Amino acid sequence: MSRNPHPEVDVPRPLPLRVLTREVLRGLARDGAPRWRSTAAVFTSMTALAATSLVPGPALAESLASPCALTRTAAHHSEGVDTWNSAYVRPTRPLDAVMVFLSFPDSTPRTTPAELTGDYFPATSRFFERASYGRFTVRPHPRRAWIQMPHASTSYAIQRDWNASDRAAYLRDALAVADPQVDFSRYDVVYFVADPDAPGVDSDATKVVNLDSPLRADGKDIRRVVTVFEKHPPDRLVLAHETGHVFDLPDLYHRPSDGKGDWDTYVGDWDLMGSQFGLAPDLFGWHKWRLGWLEPHQVACVQGTGSTRLTLEPLGSGPVGSATGAAGASAGRAVGAGVLASTPAAQAAQAAPSGPRAASRGPGASSRWSDPSPYGPDPSPHGPDPSSRGPGAASGGSGVPGASSSAVGVAALPGSQIFGSGRGTKLAVVPTGPDSALAFEARGSAGNDDSTCTQGILVYRVRSETESGSGPIQVLDAHPDSESCWEESVYPPLADAPVGLGESFTVPGAKVRVEAEDRTASGAWTVKITTG
């Protein structure tokens, strides 16, 4: 065990002020209980067509996307795609995660490990199953009982911007008390879950700790640990956000220098790594490409000058036979000024009601998908049965008790050969420099995005040399003079960012225009991208 870890930390963004205000006004509660954050936290707060060229010229939409794969740089959680950082586990197979529940001498827990496990699972597993089209899941292995730390909770000075020495002491103690009961060599992910009611526990301190000097247990180096301090019930999808860091995904929110500005100006609702509270929290297509969830032919690399037409499947549409999918016309929204153009067809579509929304899902709605059987404790005293590991594991080891093959976005268990809805194009990329690119994807109310209030072609800029938390991805607003979904969105100015049916959008500062020309019978989008 290392005595002197020097960690970096990846943290979730705090509850947005707008959400707290709605909860106060409406008296809403998460999972039937009020959910409050500290004052400091508040104010720091379907068949795709092959891509074809429309006009003669060098513009190409290639099935092999490697020319558009930005180079991975030394930036923390670089968005480069050309190589994988081997220091991180790649989520292309089911991974086993141990949940260790830590109590303290100065507090008697008011919850049970089983209750806390239910706060995070199956919601976390389901999120990743949907996002990965059934290629990946997290299989939780919760411990049966609390394990007591040697010192009072107040002695560790737990807080969001945690002192490195106090954090190191906490990790050393946690591993020391857990090691006699847990075989860490059997797990891919480690969650240390603290008693949420202990007096020294600060819910804003939930984070991933990346260790320069790994901890050592059971013959295995532990390079990162998810430290969970959430209240019960926790923030929506917070564990999925933190688990994303375990797979080298960056924070996409903007942390104001004075701690009092808006955190969501970079990506709004459109990616879990920006906000665990988002209406459309599915991972960007760029992230799915990085993580290995998109096959090469599902990423169209558009190079040169000219016009290219391609068909984009909705990003959230799941495996063949699932209940997920995008149907109906584009969600209506106001047309912005400037470079945005709207055809008569689009104007007619805008007169219709907005796209599908679950009226009962407000900002305080539960993050859990219904599941008839809650998770029980790990039946093994030390870890999972090794025979259950790997992409070919039996359904009993899927991590989703009671999961149905008709569940939304989970038509096939992880590791199955069914992949994608028609295996069509999910992402289009236009390179704009050695470390930057524009990305285009269709977003609608499918899969993890089932709560979105708008739909269309989302455009965003990617920079591989930009650090986590400094805007490595920024959504481009096709409607800069309007906003949408104020009562539900974490950042209404970007809630209507997608290019709607019949609209076109020219990227500011770039000679690139995208037009959302049509929808197919299956709900896919016919898109024309013009460069130069």
Side-chain angles (χ1 to χ4, degrees):
M1 182 188 310
S2 169
R3 301 292 297 176
N4 186 30
H6 302 286
E8 294 179 328
V9 294
D10 296 298
V11 300
R13 44 72 46 80
L15 184 70
L17 177 60
R18 184 178 296 108
V19 171
L20 180 64
T21 302
R22 290 196 302 268
E23 290 186 349
V24 172
L25 292 176
R26 295 182 178 183
L28 292 176
R30 281 192 176 86
D31 298 335
R35 177 68 167 97
W36 302 94
R37 300 291 264 182
S38 67
T39 302
V42 170
F43 288 96
T44 60
S45 66
M46 214 160 167
T47 300
L49 302 175
T52 56
S53 178
L54 285 178
V55 296
L60 301 173
E62 300 178 1
S63 59
L64 294 177
S66 57
C68 289
L70 300 182
T71 301
R72 181 169 60 86
T73 69
H76 184 42
H77 295 318
S78 170
E79 292 284 12
V81 183
D82 66 328
T83 58
W84 179 257
N85 186 348
S86 60
Y88 293 83
V89 60
R90 198 171 195 181
T92 51
R93 61 173 175 84
L95 297 177
D96 291 294
V98 63
M99 301 185 76
V100 179
F101 299 92
L102 302 173
S103 63
F104 303 89
D106 58 338
S107 180
T108 300
R110 299 201 294 266
T111 56
T112 67
E115 287 176 306
L116 295 181
T117 301
D119 280 345
Y120 303 109
F121 291 95
T124 301
S125 293
R126 292 282 177 85
F127 177 87
F128 285 113
E129 286 163 1
R130 291 178 173 189
S132 67
Y133 315 109
R135 292 178 71 100
F136 167 68
T137 193
V138 178
R139 298 190 294 220
H141 299 271
R143 304 308 303 167
R144 296 177 181 274
W146 293 100
I147 301 176
Q148 189 172 101
M149 295 282 277
H151 304 295
S153 62
T154 52
S155 70
Y156 297 104
I158 300 165
Q159 57 185 316
R160 183 178 180 89
D161 295 315
W162 207 357
N163 177 277
S165 61
D166 290 329
R167 185 172 55 225
Y170 178 86
L171 290 175
R172 286 196 301 267
D173 286 351
L175 191 62
V177 297
D179 193 21
Q181 301 184 44
V182 179
D183 182 356
F184 285 96
S185 69
R186 294 190 174 192
Y187 299 104
D188 306 290
V189 182
V190 176
Y191 299 123
F192 282 147
V193 184
D195 173 10
D197 298 308
V201 170
D202 180 356
S203 60
D204 284 330
T206 294
K207 63 191 67 180
V208 172
V209 181
N210 300 300
L211 299 162
D212 291 337
S213 300
L215 299 172
R216 185 82 177 170
D218 301 312
K220 181 175 182 177
D221 285 340
I222 301 175
R223 298 187 176 277
R224 52 195 48 84
V225 176
V226 185
T227 55
V228 181
F229 301 102
E230 292 292 304
K231 296 297 185 183
H232 169 67
D235 281 347
R236 175 179 182 266
L237 291 180
V238 64
L239 196 66
H241 172 101
E242 291 306 315
T243 305
H245 289 312
V246 175
F247 309 138
D248 201 21
L249 295 184
D251 280 317
L252 299 183
Y253 55 73
H254 162 248
R255 185 171 184 175
S257 58
D258 61 1
K260 298 181 181 180
D262 204 312
W263 291 66
D264 300 297
T265 57
Y266 289 151
V267 302
D269 295 271
W270 298 104
D271 190 284
L272 174 74
M273 304 312 294
S275 176
Q276 64 262 35
F277 310 101
L279 293 175
D282 202 4
L283 297 176
F284 285 129
W286 187 274
H287 284 161
K288 299 187 183 196
W289 186 23
R290 277 188 61 199
L291 296 174
W293 298 343
L294 296 182
E295 295 180 355
H297 75 269
Q298 293 186 292
V299 181
C301 183
V302 180
Q303 301 182 90
T305 60
S307 294
T308 299
R309 178 180 285 121
L310 60 152
T311 300
L312 291 177
E313 291 183 347
L315 187 69
S317 62
V320 174
S322 72
T324 190
S330 170
R333 60 185 168 277
V335 178
V339 296
L340 184 68
S342 180
T343 67
Q347 294 170 357
Q350 289 164 0
S354 294
R357 293 170 63 184
S360 63
R361 289 175 63 108
S366 168
S367 67
R368 305 176 196 174
W369 287 270
S370 61
D371 192 302
S373 74
Y375 280 91
D378 183 1
S380 166
H382 293 291
D385 178 356
S387 66
S388 69
R389 295 168 58 107
S395 60
S398 68
V400 192
S404 167
S405 62
S406 62
V408 175
V410 195
L413 291 174
S416 76
Q417 296 304 308
I418 300 174
F419 179 64
S421 178
R423 300 170 66 91
T425 305
K426 297 284 190 182
L427 176 68
V429 179
V430 176
T432 56
D435 67 335
S436 66
L438 294 170
F440 306 80
E441 63 195 36
R443 300 295 287 265
S445 53
N448 288 324
D449 287 346
D450 61 357
S451 295
T452 187
C453 62
T454 61
Q455 56 184 319
I457 304 303
L458 191 69
V459 185
Y460 53 92
R461 193 183 305 276
V462 185
R463 295 182 175 91
S464 63
E465 288 189 350
T466 302
E467 297 277 343
S468 172
S470 298
I473 292 182
Q474 296 188 12
V475 167
L476 303 178
D477 192 356
H479 306 88
D481 298 322
S482 66
E483 59 182 45
S484 187
C485 320
W486 189 91
E487 292 186 348
E488 296 173 314
S489 171
V490 299
Y491 189 63
L494 287 181
D496 62 351
V499 181
L501 182 65
E503 297 176 351
S504 66
F505 172 66
T506 299
V507 176
K511 296 180 180 180
V512 179
R513 185 176 72 255
V514 58
E515 301 172 60
E517 295 184 326
D518 203 357
R519 301 290 300 274
T520 69
S522 63
W525 293 73
T526 303
V527 175
K528 183 171 74 172
I529 297 175
T530 303
T531 61

